[in-house]
Amino acid sequence: MANTSYRLRCQLYGHESDVRSVSTITEYDGIVSGSRDKTARIWRPSDKTSFEQRAVLKNHTHYIIATCYIPPNSEFPDGLIVTGGNDKKICVYSAKQGIYLFTLEGHEQTVSSLSHVPQTDQLLSGSWDFTGRIWSLSTKKCIQTLKGHSKAIWAIISMGDVTQNSNIILTGAADNIIMGWKNQVKFQTYEGHTNCVRSLTSINANEFLSCSNDFNIKRWNVISAQCLQTYVGHTSFVYSVAMVSSDQFASVSEDRSLRLWSVNADEPKQTIRLPTGTVWSVCSLTNNDMVVGSSDGRIFIFTKDTSRTATMEEIAAFEQEIASTSIQTKTGDLGEVKIDDLPNEDALKKPGTREGQTTMINKGNGHVEAYQWNMLDQRWMKIGDVVGSADSTAQGQASATGEKIMFEGQYYDYVFNVELDEGVPLKLPYNVTDDPWFAAQTFIQRHELSQMFLDQVAQFIITNTKGMVIDQSASDYVDPFTGDVRYVPIGTSPMDTTGPQTNNDPFTGTGRYVPNVTPNVSLSSTRKETTSNQDPFTGAGRYTPNDSNDQPTRPLSASQSTVIKTEDAELTAAFPQAHYITMRNADISKILGKLKDFNDNATGDGLRLLDNQIQQINELVNGNTNNVEMKLNLLFQLLKWPIDKIFPILDIIRLIILNVDVCKYVFENDIKSNEFITQLFTYLQPEQSANTMFIFRTLTNLFSNDLGEKYMIKNRNSILAKILICLPLTKKNTQIALTNVILNYCIYAYRSNDERLSDYLYECYKEFVDIQFESDGAKRLILGLGTLFCTNADLVLNVQTTSDNNAKRFFTALEKSASQLNADTLECFERCRALVKNL
């Protein structure tokens, strides 16, 4: 029988983290790979079976997400390699030597997809800033921006060349939609996927394929937008799809498999399991060999050509590695049954009926193994040991009937068995109404695990609950990585209307509320000075909630005698920091003016307050807490306004929470406090950075009151989890708000001598090394780290006696960006390093 199946050709080692993208260098069947280790690498065939690394491209400062190869042309005779990443940049290199040529800048968020328009000098890029861009490589400029998607774009491709003025571009996004653009104008929408669209590839001039987090691959007609076929087989998110030949394609998935398909068949022709957690990317070489990038940093290459296959020993070792992996029963296509219902080893004597067919075998003593039918070799191949396979009461896994199960006195929808690097199963309880990230953070804290497991555990929950909606109130939150309904890393969005690009208020036509501007810098050189900053209600400078106003601070509570302000002049380079930070500067008249403006324009039942009710809120803001319950209810009623109108309300909340009476009312019992914080967190959305900033300013101010402090410490795991998720994508003022919360937690650890909390906070510092910090945010983290050193002698010993530690990694990251840090921050930096030596 002719060999029609793929086998391992080789494995390439070099990357130190996830290989997120692979592309083919068609001139010599080479490979370009991009990784979370911030590098791209060029690989060239070295012999019949393997490749050698020819160049390492290091011009990105953050993770690389996308790669693209552009063949030689008259202007670039060596061809080009293009990479895009989390630093928002597109870097262009010579393909022959890997020499850096230039950078394209313009996207406001991660560049997630790259593609070349054949027979032109045009490059296509897609980004989490919701836009696609068309670039001219010869002029190094963006010539067109494609706007239409409401969420992050994950895929962009060209369907042909522009020689007949008929070029069609396709974009796929986390809004579940594919859009078609003809001559840069949207002409078609392709709807059918129920989750984030991750990858696109053209079959021919008239048809294309798409894959999605809904586990499916779809085939479409370009002109009619009709879905011609749906390919079912993957059992988790499908991340990448690529054509192999005119009638065959390949796909890779979170279910750790590479699958080969015929365009005209609904089921896969071959399924290849890999010994890695996630398979991110796939491309096809010109000889039809398949290249895949995985989460463990390896690149796997598979071939149908027997002359290029790995040795029998290498294939056996590869299969043994697959066999030794662990499989959860709620992932993969293994189903979920009781051990007693499973067949024994005799079942393996019977041939399978199709390629990739899987079965579970009861080996006795609670041990279950998974096998997959290999049609080529006519044998069952072990693909892993099954964990969490028994019934819910025996193994802690939720049953298929949906019955709740008991764990530590409480009922849960799921109680998973989780095996991390230690290899010991740990119990992870979870309800579908929970935020996966909160549950993951609680699990990490309970078992005293490294913070590095946060993303892994949260992704485990999302995958194993098969994307169930966690909370209807949070259904608008879509993660650009997965498109799934869950808490997302919030940052400043390109749709953010609070940036410095314009001064017009869309409602008043005057200077709008700008939360992210630099003090004392005019936003509009074309406006007259007498009108550019006028507030329409007060006649004074507009409402600018950046804590940079020169207005005198009005104390809202007599209990704040030990609290210092947030101006850098007050944040001295001293260790330890012993007094909590508050964010209390404000121009009350401007905030209330904006509130009145929005209230006057509010439409809809219950959305508009009477003038006397607005006056009640005015009194509350100015410290009058008589009838505090009634006044707070009026204020909270305004939180029903559209999300882009509530920033003055959130600003008021961060001020009044400093008042002892207000804090006592809100945090007098767990039900009230949880409802309050939960409601605040519902306003965390990517396009509303001002809301994010004020919410974390409120959390900063909670430390100033005993009840608020108690809440913050009780819920530190979930709050710190949100901070670690939000921080990478935030800009200056929002970053300051988040780092102030971290600093206050460090101060609490010092004041209470809480070494366990200090250990946990120190663990978080390894998460900061890949974040681009503004000087003020970096300063707060440095002050927090020095405070932790003064709290816990073991941390100092760790730094002094180990060559690889969290502090050193953090310091090294800061050294790389030292040119962007101001003098005060650099002084803190030097004092913190000296502190370690002196303690």
Side-chain angles (χ1 to χ4, degrees), residues 206-221:
N206 301 314
E207 296 178 0
F208 68 93
L209 297 170
S210 63
C211 66
S212 165
N213 283 2
D214 62 12
F215 308 177
N216 294 327
I217 303 166
K218 290 181 180 291
R219 175 184 173 193
W220 305 85
N221 180 278

Side-chain angles (χ1 to χ4, degrees), residues 609-617 619 634:
L609 298 184
L610 302 175
D611 288 345
N612 67 316
Q613 293 175 317
I614 289 289
Q615 181 58 33
Q616 294 292 321
I617 293 177
E619 293 178 3
L634 288 174

Side-chain angles (χ1 to χ4, degrees), residues 202-440:
S202 61
I203 301 174
N204 51 50
N206 301 314
E207 296 178 0
F208 68 93
L209 297 170
S210 63
C211 66
S212 165
N213 283 2
D214 62 12
F215 308 177
N216 294 327
I217 303 166
K218 290 181 180 291
R219 175 184 173 193
W220 305 85
N221 180 278
V222 176
I223 303 302
S224 70
Q226 179 183 1
C227 179
L228 306 176
Q229 197 167 351
T230 298
Y231 304 89
V232 179
H234 282 295
T235 56
S236 191
F237 306 151
V238 187
Y239 292 132
S240 181
V241 62
M243 294 302 296
V244 182
S245 61
S246 61
D247 61 350
Q248 294 186 72
F249 66 91
S251 60
V252 293
S253 165
E254 181 70 28
D255 64 15
R256 69 185 183 101
S257 75
L258 162 68
R259 303 193 186 218
L260 286 302
W261 310 74
S262 169
V263 169
N264 297 312
D266 294 338
E267 295 184 347
K269 296 175 57 178
Q270 185 180 1
T271 299
I272 300 174
R273 305 282 175 174
L274 283 91
T276 183
T278 299
V279 192
W280 286 115
S281 49
V282 61
C283 70
S284 172
L285 302 180
T286 59
N287 60 15
N288 292 345
D289 284 5
M290 302 305 306
V291 181
V292 298
S294 72
S295 58
D296 63 7
R298 277 185 286 182
I299 298 171
F300 298 87
I301 304 177
F302 299 91
T303 184
K304 289 196 296 184
D305 189 329
T306 56
S307 69
R308 293 196 296 270
T309 56
T311 65
M312 295 304 296
E313 291 78 12
E314 290 172 330
I315 292 176
F318 175 70
E319 293 182 355
Q320 179 56 43
E321 189 179 2
I322 296 172
S324 63
T325 58
S326 296
I327 299 175
Q328 298 288 337
T329 56
K330 276 186 172 286
T331 58
D333 50 7
L334 305 182
E336 182 181 7
V337 296
K338 295 182 179 180
I339 288 180
D340 292 342
D341 296 335
L342 296 176
N344 58 27
E345 289 185 274
D346 290 341
L348 299 179
K349 298 176 182 178
K350 182 179 179 180
T353 58
R354 59 182 174 83
E355 166 64 30
Q357 178 186 350
T358 58
T359 187
M360 288 188 288
I361 300 298
N362 183 355
K363 301 285 288 188
N365 297 320
H367 182 203
V368 177
E369 295 179 346
Y371 288 81
Q372 176 178 297
W373 179 248
N374 185 316
M375 188 65 77
L376 172 64
D377 296 335
Q378 289 290 296
R379 64 183 176 95
W380 289 100
M381 187 177 80
K382 184 183 176 185
I383 58 172
D385 294 304
V386 181
V387 296
S389 57
D391 61 40
S392 59
T393 57
Q395 293 289 337
Q397 179 83 3
S399 67
T401 64
E403 296 178 358
K404 296 273 189 176
I405 52 177
M406 178 77 74
F407 177 72
E408 294 185 349
Q410 297 185 44
Y411 283 100
Y412 294 91
D413 295 317
Y414 296 85
V415 180
F416 296 110
N417 285 326
V418 178
E419 290 192 14
L420 297 173
D421 290 349
E422 290 82 358
V424 179
L426 302 174
K427 299 296 183 181
L428 169 57
Y430 177 73
N431 284 314
V432 295
T433 54
D434 294 339
D435 185 324
W437 297 91
F438 287 1

Side-chain angles (χ1 to χ4, degrees), residues 36 76 108 229 304 446 603 608 684 731 778 789 797:
R36 282 174 59 95
F76 302 105
E108 299 180 37
Q229 197 167 351
K304 289 196 296 184
R446 177 189 297 123
T603 57
R608 184 173 180 177
L684 291 172
K731 292 185 178 179
F789 288 149
L797 183 63

